[in-house]
Each structure stands twice: as C-alpha cells, then as structure tokens.
Amino acid sequence: MAKLVLGFQGTILEEFPLSKERVSLGRAPDNDVCIENLAVSGHHAVIETILKDSFLIDLDSTNGTFVNGHAITRHPLRNGDYITMGKHSLTYHSEVYSSSDAEVEKTIAMRPDSKRAQPAAIPMIGKLQVQNGASAGREMTLSKPLAKLGKAGFQVAAISRRQQDYYLEHVEAKDGRTPKLNGVEIGSQPRQLNSGDLVEIAGTQLKFVLVEAPAEL
C-alpha cells in the first residue's frame, strides 16, 4: 500500500497509508492528513488513488502545493516525489512492485517495435566540492537520504536525495536569508540541483556535481 511520510525541517512526524480512494490534506481537523501550519489552507489538497495510480490535486489553496519544487494543480505521483505545503513536507512512497508487475514492464520494454534494447541507466551519486575557505578542495559524497549543512544558529540547509535526484532546501537562518543557488536565494521551496550548480550555505561556496556511483553504493 502506498503511503505519505509527513516531515518538518528534516524531522519525520508521522506516516499515513493511502488506504482510501480519496485522502484529504489540510489544516482543518477533519482532514485525513492534518497539517497544523498557518501557511496550509483548511482544505489544501487531496490525493485520489485509482488502482495503483495516485494523483495529487490542489484545492485552489492560498499558498499552493509543490512537488519537487514545482507548483502543481494536478500531478500523477511517482515513488519518491517530495511534496511541500507551507513549511511541512510529504514524501510519497508507492507500494512495492510485485514480480508480475516486473514481468509486465519487461514485456513492454521488449515490444516488437523496439529495434534494440535500451542501455541500462548508469547509477549516479552527488558530490559537493568546497570552493572557498580553509576547506577548499575537500569533497563530500551525498550518499544518505538527507544531509544537513551550515552553522546551527546562523544558517542551516538540507540536501535530500530522492532516487538519483537531489534537492536543496532551506532549514533555518538567523537573519531569514535562504541558501543561494547560482547566486540567487532559493526562498522557502526546495530546488532541484543540476550537475555544475554552485551552492552557498553560511558563507561556504560548494559546487554540486554528479558522478558515476561506485559499485558498493
């Protein structure tokens, strides 16, 4: 069964199985997923599930619903999708495919009109390369689902890993300033990182790169 994992500033709060065809999300207490945040509308969004497919639908909310950093009105959910409403986050986890599902996918991939098999995607891993200061030249491998960076009490950001995609998100800052991506503050919504992007957190400049993942990862 698919589920939602509710989080706040990098902390997991609760898990909600999508056991009904229609699951409501919002600040009002009558929602299936109640999010107590003033930036969340009373009835903010719903998730409708048809067989194994789930769709996130924004209910004309005041501050919008975002998936992987992009505003949506209706969005077909995929495993690992990162939803933000106000300052809270929800990660969508689809149910595990059965062996029969895998066989169906294999059959589709090998349909007669395919002239040749597509090469398997090369697993990639993200790295941060420090660009300034005493630690210039050092590298950090982003192999965990979540990495927090910065200085507590000054500015803290998080980089989350969802499958092979990485997202930069503001956590906290003393003066309210958010991390910079290619010289521009990211604001309150997560931003997807691309190889070669320059990130600045608490005065430290970091270059994000994607490289081929070692076999052990």
Side-chain angles (χ1 to χ4, degrees):
M1 181 183 299
K3 66 179 179 180
L4 291 174
V5 178
L6 177 65
F8 180 73
Q9 294 187 348
T11 301
I12 294 176
L13 301 179
E14 195 170 353
E15 294 186 1
F16 298 91
L18 298 179
S19 55
K20 303 194 304 182
E21 290 185 358
R22 184 180 174 91
V23 173
S24 60
L25 306 94
R27 193 175 72 252
D30 61 344
N31 285 286
D32 298 301
V33 180
C34 185
I35 304 174
E36 297 180 4
N37 188 304
L38 292 177
V40 176
S41 298
H43 295 93
H44 197 104
V46 296
I47 292 179
E48 293 183 348
T49 300
I50 303 171
L51 298 178
K52 292 183 179 181
D53 297 320
S54 295
F55 299 86
L56 175 64
I57 303 167
D58 180 77
L59 298 178
D60 197 22
S61 61
T62 301
N63 295 309
T65 302
F66 295 80
V67 178
N68 301 330
H70 301 285
I72 62 96
T73 53
R74 181 183 176 89
H75 176 81
L77 290 168
R78 297 183 303 169
N79 185 50
D81 272 350
Y82 188 72
I83 304 163
T84 48
M85 297 180 182
K87 294 184 178 181
H88 284 71
S89 65
L90 294 145
T91 305
Y92 173 76
H93 297 275
S94 63
E95 57 184 316
V96 178
Y97 282 3
S98 66
S99 58
S100 59
D101 293 326
E103 288 301 319
V104 170
E105 290 186 352
K106 187 185 299 183
T107 301
I108 293 173
M110 298 176 64
R111 61 187 185 277
D113 60 341
S114 296
K115 294 182 179 180
R116 58 182 178 182
Q118 296 295 319
I122 299 174
M124 304 294 285
I125 193 76
K127 286 190 175 185
L128 291 175
Q129 299 171 343
V130 181
Q131 303 294 298
N132 64 340
S135 299
R138 292 186 61 183
E139 286 190 347
M140 174 184 178
T141 301
L142 300 170
S143 57
K144 296 182 179 180
L146 184 71
K148 285 190 175 181
L149 305 163
K151 298 178 182 178
F154 179 65
Q155 187 181 63
V156 178
I159 294 180
S160 55
R161 180 188 184 192
R162 298 173 188 85
Q163 297 178 341
Q164 293 198 67
D165 294 330
Y166 290 83
Y167 294 86
L168 173 66
E169 183 177 4
H170 171 65
V171 175
E172 64 173 334
K174 183 178 180 180
D175 56 6
R177 294 183 180 180
T178 60
K180 291 182 179 180
L181 177 60
N182 297 322
V184 180
E185 289 192 23
I186 65 170
S188 59
Q189 299 299 331
R191 295 284 300 277
Q192 186 171 359
L193 294 173
N194 297 305
S195 190
D197 280 345
L198 293 176
V199 176
E200 184 175 332
I201 304 170
T204 300
Q205 296 174 358
L206 306 151
K207 184 177 181 179
F208 173 78
V209 294
L210 282 171
V211 299
E212 186 174 344
E216 61 269 18
L217 293 178

